[in-house]
């Protein structure tokens, strides 16, 4: 943690102290909701300078990069200066309404798509080559959410916007990380994302007479899998089989789960946190070691094994392990070291954590990466931080989700608070 600035250490200690107290966290969350929903000038950011300053100097600075291109660029450069390989930049504006057919006017739908496209292209433009850009398909509005819920393809306008963003990312050597949706529109989400992976992650050599290079294995578009869902391993296995059959590289972002607090169908998730940890670590092990295992099985079609069932080896993948769990990080590092010692090829992999959270895990990864830099044969991992950009009002939904996540992970939040407390004590001494 010595790489972090003192204001960052103190701010993290303050916020994790609030998050560790159910009473203080409830009060903070209530205040954030009022800022988002209230029409009372007392609680509106545009009319209350005290609240605006309070939010900016605490939660906004902790989790967000800023609202203007100079501030966003400065924040990203600051993360790289701390040793991160790059950033995951995400536009904060999002839609959190149920995906119902609200009979929005075509003008409203067009405006939602145009705003999403503009925000995504701005994110791609501010990111650096090698970075990632986070996004949500549901950010295109309630019409997009409704079509995913009904497992309908995107409209022509939606598809044109999605292709424009993917092409811009490909041209700037940036990868896209679409965030998973809730279970009621998850099947539609996977269908949309796989459709883009077929196009932009294709391993087929372009039909150019001068093309003699090996097929590319880099990903432009990833897919997100939530390990707390019982269906995660079967979905991943089916998509791995599809990627091998259709010759595209599957981009895999593995998370534990983003909608634990709002998931109404409890029967679709693992019954305990221990079972979720097991699910995450077993999928992680298969992806890192490039082999199916007792938990992640090859997909089958009817009574016949899919093409991947002929071998225990996974098809080519690119992996982002998005986790704040120190035990899972240590497991992945150990498996990678063992692979390197055996002379095996390594799956392209990056670790990712959110800005303002689990810095003790992130900085531990940075320290390990710096140490491995002294050894040419060592495994050098990519370590990323996800930061969002947008006005304070646009970021309120994101900040509310971070508050909910801290509530669901109280023990990890306490670990961060204790780590920051020890670092403050070390600096005082």
């Amino acid at each position: 943690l010595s790489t972090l600035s003192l204001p960052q250490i103190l701010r993290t200690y303050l916020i994790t102290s609030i998050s560790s107290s159910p009473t203080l966290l409830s009060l903070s969350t209530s205040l954030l909701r009022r800022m988002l929903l209230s029409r009372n000038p007392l609680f509106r950011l545009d009319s209350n300078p005290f609240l605006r300053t309070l939010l900016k100097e605490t939660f906004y600075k902790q989790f967000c990069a800023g609202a203007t291109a100079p501030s966003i660029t400065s924040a990203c450069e600051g993360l790289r200066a701390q040793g991160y390989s790059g950033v995951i930049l995400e536009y904060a504006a999002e839609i959190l309404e149920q995906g119902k057919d609200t009979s929005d006017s075509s003008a409203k739908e067009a405006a939602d798509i145009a705003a999403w496209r503009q925000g995504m292209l701005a994110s791609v433009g501010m990111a650096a080559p090698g970075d990632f850009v986070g996004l949500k398909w549901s950010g295109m509005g309630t019409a997009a959410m409704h079509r995913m819920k009904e497992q309908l393809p995107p409209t022509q306008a939606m598809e044109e916007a999605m292709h424009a963003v993917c092409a811009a990312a490909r041209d700037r050597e940036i990868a896209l990380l679409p965030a998973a949706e809730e279970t009621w529109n998850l099947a539609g989400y996977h269908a949309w994302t796989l459709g883009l992976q077929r196009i932009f992650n294709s391993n087929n050599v372009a039909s150019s007479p001068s093309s003699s290079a090996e097929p590319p294995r880099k990903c432009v578009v990833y897919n997100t899998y939530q390990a707390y869902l019982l269906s995660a391993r079967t979905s991943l296995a089916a998509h791995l089989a599809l990627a091998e059959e259709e010759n595209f590289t599957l981009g895999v972002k593995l998370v534990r789960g983003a909608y634990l607090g709002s998931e109404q169908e409890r029967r679709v998730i693992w019954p305990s946190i221990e079972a979720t940890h097991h699910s995450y670590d077993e999928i992680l092990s298969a992806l890192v070691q490039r082999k199916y295992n007792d938990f992640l099985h090859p997909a089958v079609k009817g009574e016949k094994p899919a093409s991947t069932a002929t071998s225990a080896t996974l098809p080519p993948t690119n992996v982002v392990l998005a986790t704040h769990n120190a035990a899972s990080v240590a497991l992945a590092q150990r498996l990678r070291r063992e692979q390197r010692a055996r002379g095996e090829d390594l799956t392209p992999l990056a670790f990712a954590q959110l800005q303002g959270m689990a810095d003790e895990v992130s900085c531990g990864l940075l320290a390990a990466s710096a140490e491995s830099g002294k050894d040419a044969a060592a495994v050098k991992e990519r370590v990323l931080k996800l930061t969002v950009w947008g006005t304070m009002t646009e970021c309120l939904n994101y900040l509310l989700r971070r508050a909910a996540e801290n509530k669901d992970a109280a023990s990890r939040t306490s670990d961060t608070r204790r780590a920051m407390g020890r670092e403050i004590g070390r600096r005082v001494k």
Side-chain angles (χ1 to χ4, degrees):
L1 297 176
S2 62
T3 61
L4 303 183
S5 68
L6 182 59
Q8 188 174 351
I9 292 280
L10 295 173
R11 188 171 58 244
T12 301
Y13 185 79
L14 169 66
I15 289 176
T16 52
S17 296
I18 292 173
S19 300
S20 300
S21 166
T23 301
L24 291 176
L25 182 59
S26 178
L27 287 172
S28 299
T29 303
S30 177
L31 182 59
L32 287 171
R33 288 192 183 281
R34 287 203 173 193
M35 291 179 190
L36 179 65
L37 302 173
S38 178
R39 296 182 179 180
N40 187 334
L42 184 63
F43 294 104
R44 290 183 61 85
L45 292 175
D46 56 0
S47 57
N48 188 324
F50 173 76
L51 274 186
R52 187 166 61 247
T53 301
L54 179 65
L55 179 65
K56 180 179 179 180
E57 296 302 323
T58 53
F59 290 95
Y60 185 74
K61 277 191 174 180
Q62 181 73 1
F63 300 114
C64 306
T68 64
S71 63
I72 296 163
T73 301
S74 176
C76 293
E77 289 175 350
L79 289 169
R80 293 188 187 92
Q82 290 177 8
Y84 291 100
S85 310
V87 300
I88 304 171
L89 191 60
E90 185 172 321
Y91 182 38
E94 59 181 83
I95 304 293
L96 294 181
E97 304 169 41
Q98 286 281 340
K100 300 176 182 177
D101 187 1
T102 57
S103 299
D104 281 353
S105 68
S106 57
K108 174 67 166 57
E109 180 180 331
D112 286 342
I113 296 170
W116 180 87
R117 176 174 178 160
Q118 182 179 1
M120 291 304 101
L121 291 175
S123 295
V124 171
M126 289 185 287
D131 283 348
F132 292 74
V133 166
L135 58 96
K136 286 180 76 70
W137 302 137
S138 56
M140 284 185 281
T142 53
M145 297 181 78
H146 171 70
R147 295 190 74 83
M148 282 190 289
K149 180 183 179 182
E150 300 301 324
Q151 299 186 42
L152 298 171
T155 65
Q156 182 178 348
M158 293 174 189
E159 189 168 34
E160 288 175 355
M162 295 160 76
H163 278 246
V165 172
C166 290
R170 177 198 59 204
D171 294 344
R172 286 183 52 80
E173 298 184 2
I174 289 166
L176 301 176
L177 291 176
E181 305 286 342
E182 296 187 64
T183 50
W184 50 266
N185 62 350
L186 189 60
Y189 157 80
H190 280 309
W192 287 18
T193 304
L194 285 168
L196 292 168
Q197 287 187 317
R198 288 185 177 97
I199 298 170
F200 291 93
N201 296 2
S202 175
N203 295 322
N204 295 312
V205 178
S207 57
S208 167
S210 61
S211 177
S212 59
E214 289 294 318
R217 295 296 185 188
K218 293 179 66 176
C219 286
V220 175
V221 183
Y222 281 66
N223 213 334
T224 297
Y225 301 87
Q226 302 177 96
Y228 77 155
L229 293 177
L230 297 173
S231 61
R233 55 178 171 174
T234 53
S235 295
L236 177 57
H239 298 169
L240 286 165
L242 193 65
E244 183 175 56
E245 183 178 339
E246 300 187 17
N247 198 27
F248 65 88
T249 299
L250 191 69
V252 178
K253 175 188 171 187
L254 185 63
V255 302
R256 272 176 170 74
Y259 300 102
L260 184 61
S262 60
E263 181 55 66
Q264 297 178 0
E265 295 287 338
R266 311 306 290 183
R267 59 186 173 81
V268 304
I269 65 177
W270 292 100
S272 68
I273 186 62
E274 292 78 16
T276 297
H277 289 331
H278 178 73
S279 171
Y280 191 95
D281 289 346
E282 288 298 310
I283 295 174
L284 174 160
S285 298
L287 291 169
V288 169
Q289 296 180 101
R290 307 177 71 174
K291 296 178 181 178
Y292 291 100
N293 56 26
D294 291 338
F295 187 82
L296 180 66
H297 305 143
V300 294
K301 298 179 180 178
E303 299 299 321
K304 292 185 177 181
S307 56
T308 49
T310 60
S311 170
T313 303
L314 270 63
T317 58
N318 282 200
V319 178
V320 172
L321 295 178
T323 179
H324 295 166
N325 187 285
S328 294
V329 168
L331 171 62
Q333 289 178 300
R334 176 176 62 79
L335 293 175
R336 301 270 283 182
R337 288 194 298 269
E338 291 172 355
Q339 284 180 284
R340 176 54 59 88
R342 295 192 295 267
E344 298 175 2
D345 292 335
L346 301 180
T347 295
L349 180 144
F351 292 98
Q353 289 86 38
L354 300 173
Q355 176 183 319
M357 298 181 72
D359 283 327
E360 73 282 7
V361 175
S362 302
C363 291
L365 280 163
L366 293 180
S369 181
E371 186 65 25
S372 70
K374 303 173 184 177
D375 181 0
V379 180
K380 300 176 179 63
E381 310 292 8
R382 294 200 72 202
V383 188
L384 310 167
K385 272 289 191 183
L386 185 149
T387 184
V388 304
W389 67 273
T391 65
M392 282 190 281
T393 300
E394 289 174 327
C395 290
L396 280 172
N397 271 327
Y398 177 81
L399 295 175
L400 279 166
R401 287 198 284 117
R402 298 287 71 78
E405 184 171 335
N406 280 341
K407 181 180 179 180
D408 290 336
S411 61
R412 191 190 65 230
T413 303
S414 296
D415 291 341
T416 299
R417 177 176 55 82
R418 286 190 291 269
M420 295 299 162
R422 289 192 296 269
E423 177 62 14
I424 292 170
R426 186 192 69 82
R427 296 188 185 200
V428 169
K429 291 178 182 179

